[in-house]
Amino acid sequence: MTEVHLRDALDSLKSTGVRITPQRHAILEFLIQSMIHPTADDIYKALESRFPNMSVATVYNNLRVFREAGLVKELTYGDSSSRFDFVTNDHYHIICDSCGKIVDFHYPGLDEVEHLASHVTGFKVNTHRMEIYGTCPTCQEQATNVQ
Protein backbone atom coordinates (compact mmCIF):
# COMPACT_ATOMS: atom_id res chain seq x y z
CA MET A 1 0.00 0.00 0.00
CA THR A 2 2.90 2.37 0.77
CA GLU A 3 4.20 2.04 -2.79
CA VAL A 4 0.78 2.97 -4.17
CA HIS A 5 0.62 6.08 -1.95
CA LEU A 6 4.16 7.04 -2.98
CA ARG A 7 3.48 6.58 -6.69
CA ASP A 8 0.21 8.54 -6.47
CA ALA A 9 1.88 11.35 -4.52
CA LEU A 10 4.78 11.56 -6.98
CA ASP A 11 2.34 11.61 -9.92
CA SER A 12 0.39 14.36 -8.22
CA LEU A 13 3.53 16.46 -7.76
CA LYS A 14 4.67 15.86 -11.34
CA SER A 15 1.26 16.91 -12.68
CA THR A 16 1.70 20.31 -11.02
CA GLY A 17 5.18 20.76 -12.51
CA VAL A 18 7.16 19.89 -9.38
CA ARG A 19 10.51 18.30 -10.21
CA ILE A 20 11.15 15.04 -8.33
CA THR A 21 14.65 15.20 -6.85
CA PRO A 22 16.19 12.28 -4.96
CA GLN A 23 15.84 14.23 -1.69
CA ARG A 24 12.19 15.11 -2.40
CA HIS A 25 11.47 11.44 -3.18
CA ALA A 26 13.19 10.29 0.04
CA ILE A 27 11.41 12.87 2.24
CA LEU A 28 8.02 11.91 0.80
CA GLU A 29 8.76 8.20 1.19
CA PHE A 30 9.82 8.74 4.82
CA LEU A 31 6.60 10.64 5.56
CA ILE A 32 4.45 7.92 4.02
CA GLN A 33 6.20 5.13 5.91
CA SER A 34 6.49 6.99 9.21
CA MET A 35 3.84 6.58 11.84
CA ILE A 36 5.46 9.03 14.27
CA HIS A 37 4.22 12.33 12.76
CA PRO A 38 7.82 13.54 12.45
CA THR A 39 9.20 17.04 12.80
CA ALA A 40 11.38 18.46 10.02
CA ASP A 41 14.36 17.76 12.26
CA ASP A 42 13.29 14.10 12.68
CA ILE A 43 13.15 13.76 8.90
CA TYR A 44 16.52 15.46 8.46
CA LYS A 45 18.19 13.18 11.06
CA ALA A 46 16.67 10.07 9.47
CA LEU A 47 17.92 10.98 5.99
CA GLU A 48 21.18 12.87 6.58
CA SER A 49 23.36 9.76 6.18
CA ARG A 50 21.87 9.14 2.71
CA PHE A 51 22.06 12.81 1.73
CA PRO A 52 25.05 14.40 3.51
CA ASN A 53 24.69 17.65 1.51
CA MET A 54 20.99 18.06 2.39
CA SER A 55 20.15 20.81 4.90
CA VAL A 56 17.26 21.20 7.33
CA ALA A 57 16.13 24.10 5.08
CA THR A 58 15.79 21.61 2.20
CA VAL A 59 13.49 19.50 4.37
CA TYR A 60 11.38 22.52 5.34
CA ASN A 61 11.15 23.70 1.72
CA ASN A 62 10.00 20.28 0.56
CA LEU A 63 7.46 20.02 3.37
CA ARG A 64 6.06 23.37 2.27
CA VAL A 65 5.75 22.08 -1.32
CA PHE A 66 4.00 18.92 -0.07
CA ARG A 67 1.67 20.95 2.17
CA GLU A 68 0.75 23.32 -0.67
CA ALA A 69 0.07 20.31 -2.91
CA GLY A 70 -2.30 18.87 -0.28
CA LEU A 71 -0.16 15.81 0.37
CA VAL A 72 0.89 16.67 3.92
CA LYS A 73 -0.80 18.29 6.88
CA GLU A 74 1.20 20.43 9.25
CA LEU A 75 0.23 19.71 12.84
CA THR A 76 0.83 22.39 15.43
CA TYR A 77 0.14 21.55 19.05
CA GLY A 78 1.53 24.52 20.94
CA ASP A 79 5.07 23.24 21.30
CA SER A 80 7.78 24.81 19.20
CA SER A 81 8.04 22.18 16.46
CA SER A 82 5.42 21.45 13.84
CA ARG A 83 4.82 17.82 13.05
CA PHE A 84 3.89 16.50 9.63
CA ASP A 85 1.31 13.91 8.67
CA PHE A 86 0.96 12.33 5.23
CA VAL A 87 -2.68 12.79 4.27
CA THR A 88 -4.37 9.55 3.25
CA ASN A 89 -7.78 9.97 4.85
CA ASP A 90 -9.59 12.03 7.46
CA HIS A 91 -8.55 11.00 10.92
CA TYR A 92 -7.99 12.37 14.38
CA HIS A 93 -5.07 12.37 16.79
CA ILE A 94 -4.60 11.34 20.38
CA ILE A 95 -1.53 12.90 21.97
CA CYS A 96 0.40 11.76 25.02
CA ASP A 97 0.76 14.55 27.59
CA SER A 98 3.95 12.98 28.91
CA CYS A 99 6.07 12.09 25.86
CA GLY A 100 4.27 13.85 23.00
CA LYS A 101 3.58 10.67 21.03
CA ILE A 102 0.79 11.15 18.47
CA VAL A 103 -1.41 8.26 17.35
CA ASP A 104 -3.98 8.32 14.54
CA PHE A 105 -7.52 7.07 15.01
CA HIS A 106 -10.65 7.24 12.92
CA TYR A 107 -14.17 7.45 14.25
CA PRO A 108 -16.80 7.80 11.51
CA GLY A 109 -19.41 9.19 13.90
CA LEU A 110 -17.39 12.38 14.19
CA ASP A 111 -17.93 13.12 10.48
CA GLU A 112 -21.42 14.29 11.42
CA VAL A 113 -19.98 17.07 13.61
CA GLU A 114 -19.43 19.40 10.64
CA HIS A 115 -22.99 18.95 9.41
CA LEU A 116 -24.45 19.51 12.87
CA ALA A 117 -22.25 22.58 13.49
CA SER A 118 -23.33 24.05 10.17
CA HIS A 119 -26.98 23.31 10.82
CA VAL A 120 -26.99 24.77 14.35
CA THR A 121 -24.91 27.89 13.64
CA GLY A 122 -25.54 28.68 9.99
CA PHE A 123 -21.78 28.60 9.33
CA LYS A 124 -20.40 27.12 6.13
CA VAL A 125 -17.91 24.69 7.66
CA ASN A 126 -14.62 24.34 5.80
CA THR A 127 -12.86 21.85 8.05
CA HIS A 128 -12.49 20.78 11.65
CA ARG A 129 -9.77 19.41 13.89
CA MET A 130 -10.11 17.39 17.04
CA GLU A 131 -7.36 16.39 19.41
CA ILE A 132 -7.59 14.13 22.41
CA TYR A 133 -4.94 14.21 25.12
CA GLY A 134 -4.02 11.50 27.58
CA THR A 135 -1.20 9.23 28.68
CA CYS A 136 0.07 6.53 26.33
CA PRO A 137 0.49 2.91 27.50
CA THR A 138 4.30 3.23 27.68
CA CYS A 139 4.15 6.31 29.92
CA GLN A 140 1.42 4.69 32.06
CA GLU A 141 3.67 1.68 32.57
CA GLN A 142 6.68 3.88 33.41
CA ALA A 143 4.61 5.82 35.94
CA THR A 144 3.45 2.56 37.53
CA ASN A 145 7.03 1.27 37.76
CA VAL A 146 8.20 4.49 39.46
CA GLN A 147 5.55 4.19 42.18
Side-chain angles (χ1 to χ4, degrees):
M1 191 65 156
T2 300
E3 287 116 26
V4 172
H5 288 310
L6 180 60
R7 187 176 61 245
D8 289 348
L10 292 170
D11 289 346
S12 175
L13 289 171
K14 287 178 196 172
S15 73
T16 61
V18 174
R19 194 168 61 94
I20 307 302
T21 63
Q23 292 92 338
R24 189 164 282 157
H25 186 282
I27 293 166
L28 191 57
E29 186 174 31
F30 181 83
L31 278 165
I32 292 170
Q33 292 176 347
S34 174
M35 298 304 292
I36 63 167
H37 303 83
T39 64
D41 202 46
D42 293 334
I43 296 167
Y44 171 75
K45 288 175 183 171
L47 299 176
E48 70 179 328
S49 64
R50 285 176 47 198
F51 300 98
N53 295 328
M54 183 174 70
S55 67
V56 176
T58 300
V59 175
Y60 274 107
N61 289 335
N62 279 288
L63 290 169
R64 180 184 46 77
V65 169
F66 300 157
R67 188 185 69 235
E68 290 171 357
L71 297 173
V72 169
K73 283 186 181 172
E74 184 173 359
L75 309 173
T76 54
Y77 294 109
D79 61 359
S80 57
S81 298
S82 291
R83 294 180 170 271
F84 295 88
D85 191 7
F86 181 75
V87 179
T88 56
N89 58 8
D90 288 333
H91 61 271
Y92 302 98
H93 297 109
I94 185 161
I95 302 132
C96 181
D97 288 319
S98 298
C99 69
K101 179 180 182 176
I102 302 171
V103 177
D104 293 344
F105 75 96
H106 179 72
Y107 181 67
L110 293 175
D111 296 340
E112 297 173 21
V113 169
E114 285 185 6
H115 178 71
L116 179 62
S118 177
H119 179 74
V120 169
T121 65
F123 275 61
K124 177 187 175 285
V125 176
N126 300 319
T127 187
H128 73 272
R129 174 173 137 172
M130 185 180 76
E131 302 156 7
I132 298 176
Y133 293 84
T135 307
C136 73
T138 303
C139 290
Q140 289 176 52
E141 186 176 318
Q142 289 173 349
T144 302
N145 291 340
V146 169
Q147 296 172 355

